[in-house]
Amino acid sequence: MQACLPGKPECELQAVDTALWRAQRIIAYVSGNVLIILRDLHHFHQTIVHGESDRLRAVAIDPATGKIATSSGSAVHIHQPLQEFGDLRWALQHIYAPDDIDNITCLSWGLPGEVLIGGSKLALLTTDDDIRVNWKSPALANSCRYDRLVKVWRRGFIGGDNERFDPVYLAHPATVTSLRWRGRPPTEEHAEVVLYTTCADGHLRIWTSPEPHCLHILDVWAELDLNSCIQPRSPLSPSPWKKRYTVMVDKWDFQNVVEHATRTNNGADEREQHTIRHLQELSSQDPEVCIVLDDAGNMSAWGLERVGCKARFGPSVMNIGHAEDFGLVIPAASTDFAIFRAFVSPLADGSLTLLAHLFDGRLQWLSSRIEQLFDPSLHQSRIRVDAEFTGHTRSVQRLLADDSRQFFVSQAEGGELTFWRRHEESTAGIVRQCGLTLRYSCLDIQMLHQGQLAIFLQQHQISCWNLQGSKAFQVACVPFRSNSGCRLTALSQEAPNETHLQVVDSKLEACSLTISVQRDGVAINCGATAKVGDTEPMANGVPNGLAYSQNDRTPCSSIHVVGENVLAISSSSGEVLYSHWQSATESEQRKWVQTVKLCLDYTCLVCVACSPVHVISVDASRTKLTIWNILTGLCEYQHTFSTHESVESASWCTLHEQQQALTVVLTHRVMIFLQASYDCILDQSLWVLVKELDMLGYTTLPITDVLWTAKEMLVVSAGSQLFAFNTACECALESIWPFASALPVKTPQTLRTLSFLANRTLPVFHPQSLVQQLFCGQLTSVQDVLSELRERLKYWVEGEVLESSLNSDRSQEKQATCFNADSDGAALETAFQGLNHSQDEVDALIDNLRTSQLPWISATEQSYLRSFCGCMGALSTHKKSIDAAGLIYLSSLYIGMDPSLTFGMSPWRSTVFALLSVSQDNLLDITMAQESGTSFPWAKARKHQTCLWILSRDTLCAHFELVARAEYTKAEDRDPLDCSLYYLALRKKSVLQGLWRMAHGHREREQTMRVLAQDFEEQRWKSAALKNAYALLGKQRAMYAAAWFLLAGEATSAVNVLAGDEVADLELAISVARVFDGDDGPVLKAVIEQYLLPQALQEGDKWKAVYGFLMLKREDLALQACVRPLHEVIKGANEAELPIDARMWWKADPAILTVYRQLRDQWSKSRSRRNHAFPVSLREETNAVRAAARTYMRMGCGWLALNVLRTWEFSHPVRSLTRQQPLAFTDGIGNVLGRETKNKHGPESTQTAPSMLDGFESKPSTPVPEPSTSRKKVTEESSASSILDNFDF
């Protein structure tokens, strides 16, 4: 914790007290109904909350017992210290509420366990056992308001019922302003009685008794004129200031600081050594030190030598020093009264600490070294402000910052507002600027002009206040009627002296406000009203925060101010709508335009916080947290908290390059999450917990709000207190990110640094980078990286520099082989022709990776890199016999052998690529050769899904028969039951009969052979087979029951059993349907529509959906499934009813663009589809490319994102657009760019659009060149300067 603002001290004479108990310094003060107990300026012991109606007015600490007494005017609370697990805590011991004493404002401890209370009467209480009135104290002193007499009470005798008290009156010439007894020395049980009093005549009087045990008479030992203590040094100086403040330093404290300065003055200069010698001489005379201050920063110190009745000579008052540069200026205001306390610093640094209670609502912790404090020469650092304790007296409800995060305001109950600003030179980091109290409740606040002005939205008016002085004042006000759901949002500033705001109410109507700042004042003008988007009005609008009803905790609508010109509206049905303020154009007026719509999960409908990129939602119980990405509509993180904790609110902090830190506020904890990059290797979460703040160690009050200020400082409010935390994380980086130990340079653990490391650009030899390039078809690029790495590692040793880019000079042509393809797909095939890795080269690279640890990657990632190199070595042996799609399938096959490289990888991805391959016979041979052993049972066939992607029916049936044979021979006791399903699917009942004929000793042999010998074309035996199937289902023998369904000719019932809950093997159901009924039969169509596509929708698996549509011969839907959300492609789907697993972040696979491009090219070459409209629009294709590039950026593969943006070609058939309509390019959001292409080739020709970046850089009037008649396309490339501007990178 960097600083604590426990609360605003009360403006009472006894609101602050300090004492030394058991060698521990205790500082206590009261703020509202809260007692704050501090240990030093950085730590505090405890916060004790009294009743809501109890406003505390005084506090006193007993230095003998450590007890703390507080008074609330009508009652006195006694708190007893307890030692719990090494921590000092206080517990309530007694509450004394006398009926005959009113207005208790004074407290004072006497003998151990005895406290004097003062109000309308005086009472001395003992707190040893039961609290009771007691009069055993040797001396009591009191003074009433506006009284010139100080009464000193002494008991006449002890014992008896008739007790007599003898008062002594000490007369003063004016009203007494303060009185205090000299403190008790820590090493002496009995000390001489010394009383200090000051009155309105400006004199300090020291009262002592002539006899040590006689208190009947107190005489004035000495008198010090405070006004004459500080005089101007020059006759030309103005008249001396009238206000004086005194600080009494007891002689034992003065001796301690002088002794410490003497021990540590070895390195001091001559000036300080002279001052220390002077102080040593003064300390030998046991002086009481009186420091006199004025309200202009002047100081005069005086020594009172040997105060008391033991003095052998008369009173001696000597001057110690004078300074005009003391450094403490009391603010000139109506509440400029101050009380000072002096003691030795508890930090063991030997300094003198001054506790200044300023009646403007501050408690300052001042410290100074004694040789610098009393240095007679000019000194720049005589005293310094180490801490300032202030804040609120009531519970803080809300924290709000301006756009620069340099200024923020805290809003408390009762309209109490305090404005703060960041101050780098201050120890706390934040200082109080001003404060005010509004008469009416404040609905929303907007700070303008770098914290100089504040706009308050109240129920009946809108007011503007000036915050530049120490006290805010109103400068403008207009009547305005608003409801509880209204919010203030800032618009873009069009003029330097004008600020445009809008008030959005629960009806989603925005009223414009213009704040004009002129020399003669500030003017507020109300303008027209505009509708926020096309959304429906909110039934129960609530301001920013948790959108739920306080009564039944049901979700309701809320308005979130995301940023300048951006609003987010969350509805009770779980929809979040983003609206953007559109400036006026020549054709349209200014209005709110809806830009993004996000449907939350039905289990987490309560929207907590919104940012430009993410949305936070919780469930009804507020224990389940979900983070959504509004750009992709996917869930990035989920976390469930314990049942005794609930999510109260959340806050965002933008660090750099759109990277954000999330702060989740629980009841007593604050959890800080950092956004991390997509990691498909280590299965790492996208949001990592980097710091957790347990506020129970600071206060027992619940957390009300959090706020991020400039320089990543976190401010937490709990009750009336504010806590400021820096962003340094006391945790090991290796426990958060495994690659941290591999970094070549160690960096400080700040949030900005950790965010940079978590979202760093991956090195080119990182396994995740290589895997993504492989699935995109960039095998030549992967080969270049591995070859360059092998050459660099030949003579490289650990400790030397190894660049993350390897200084590779790969050509643009090699990098462009991923998505740049001609209409016939030749470029994709060319991408694999350069693949050439000999086994010796691969073995040499693996040996180098095994002996040397590379920088930029961790040891775990390097082991994955070795596995990947082995996969590439095996892949290079098949480049001549396998086509491009087949090689991608083999890459998935080899990578799938290492489970560490397959996180988030859908098994249907390789199935789709194998389905599109024309080398399926070779693929099947290689796949079967990879499995150990000669048999290929269904478990292996299901793993590789071979029966799903073989298109040749003869090959499929032969392979399925091989699977049936392997199922029969997999066990030592061969059982025909294991292979019955497979042979009956192949319609080879005779083979199955032969197997049963050899099954000697099987208990079902005779009966099964008798049934199989019948003719199942007859209805009688079909019915018998169906009865047997249903009987087997009742006996939980589902696989065998499916075989009998096939025997009866009921293939639909068989696949329903296989795909349903009885077997739950969808792959087997599809395989049986294909083998039994063919790819064009109704059985396969039924199993795909009833099982495959609904599962793909529930799982969010686009690869499974694409496979299903391809098997249904619906290439148009397969193309749409590649670029659209599945709920928009599959009929009867509802996005709100989808489970959260279907919308997780790893469902966004950019490799699906390779399949989309291949299907698009096949569509353009198909003669039967040339007259059909292309099912995907240019806007949808653009959004898909942008989404893929965004995913690559989140993975840390920025070069892949740049590659897809630079090289993607929009090659759409002309029939996809209306004839004679210009071909328009969009930026992915809806803005049409001005590049037009005329159709000159008729309906049967295809037309290839230019590169994506060409469309973004071209001028509106520049036409597209006509396509060349040759097969080779001419691609027009643009400069890279426009890439980041047009794709939000």
Side-chain angles (χ1 to χ4, degrees), residues 1167-1179:
R1167 291 182 178 270
S1168 61
R1169 299 188 181 94
R1170 288 185 179 180
N1171 295 328
H1172 295 80
F1174 192 66
V1176 177
S1177 64
L1178 281 174
R1179 180 178 181 180

Side-chain angles (χ1 to χ4, degrees), residues 358-517:
L358 308 178
F359 274 43
D360 62 349
R362 293 180 296 162
L363 179 62
Q364 289 186 341
W365 185 293
L366 311 172
S367 62
S368 174
R369 297 187 62 84
I370 195 68
E371 64 272 17
Q372 298 175 357
L373 181 65
F374 296 137
D375 190 353
S377 60
L378 294 177
H379 209 289
Q380 298 296 331
S381 58
R382 193 179 299 274
I383 194 169
R384 66 181 183 273
V385 180
D386 290 338
E388 186 175 85
F389 304 106
T390 182
H392 293 269
T393 58
R394 297 187 179 185
S395 178
V396 178
Q397 295 177 328
R398 186 183 178 192
L399 300 174
L400 182 68
D402 67 337
D403 295 336
S404 64
R405 299 282 174 176
Q406 294 287 344
F407 302 88
F408 70 95
V409 57
S410 54
Q411 180 181 358
E413 296 176 351
E416 183 179 321
L417 299 171
T418 303
F419 294 87
W420 312 84
R421 60 183 174 88
R422 290 281 281 116
H423 194 274
E424 300 295 339
E425 298 179 357
S426 173
T427 305
I430 53 177
V431 295
R432 183 178 182 270
Q433 181 174 342
C434 62
L436 60 95
T437 301
L438 295 177
R439 183 177 180 182
Y440 302 103
S441 61
C442 183
L443 303 178
D444 202 0
I445 307 171
Q446 188 74 33
M447 302 180 68
L448 309 175
H449 296 281
Q450 297 182 352
Q452 298 180 7
L453 296 176
I455 305 297
F456 298 112
L457 175 62
Q458 297 173 275
Q459 189 172 2
H460 300 287
Q461 66 180 10
I462 297 177
S463 58
C464 179
W465 291 67
N466 191 321
L467 310 177
Q468 300 184 45
S470 59
K471 187 174 181 60
F473 58 93
Q474 182 175 309
V475 294
C477 179
V478 294
F480 189 87
R481 181 172 295 276
S482 58
N483 51 36
S484 60
C486 288
R487 292 301 314 276
L488 274 173
T489 177
L491 304 180
S492 56
Q493 189 171 356
E494 300 178 357
N497 295 330
E498 288 187 357
T499 302
H500 297 276
L501 304 176
Q502 283 201 350
V503 181
V504 184
D505 58 10
S506 58
K507 298 180 181 179
L508 300 182
E509 295 180 352
C511 179
S512 300
L513 298 177
T514 302
I515 291 85
S516 303
V517 180

Side-chain angles (χ1 to χ4, degrees), residues 679 682 684 688-690 729-747 749 754 757-758 853 857-861:
D679 194 339
L682 299 178
Q684 178 179 292
V688 184
L689 177 64
V690 295
C729 300
E730 299 84 2
C731 59
L733 288 180
E734 290 78 5
S735 62
I736 304 175
W737 292 285
F739 63 78
S741 59
L743 295 176
V745 180
K746 299 302 179 182
T747 55
Q749 299 180 19
L754 295 179
L757 296 178
Q853 174 61 45
I857 62 176
S858 64
T860 305
E861 293 168 337

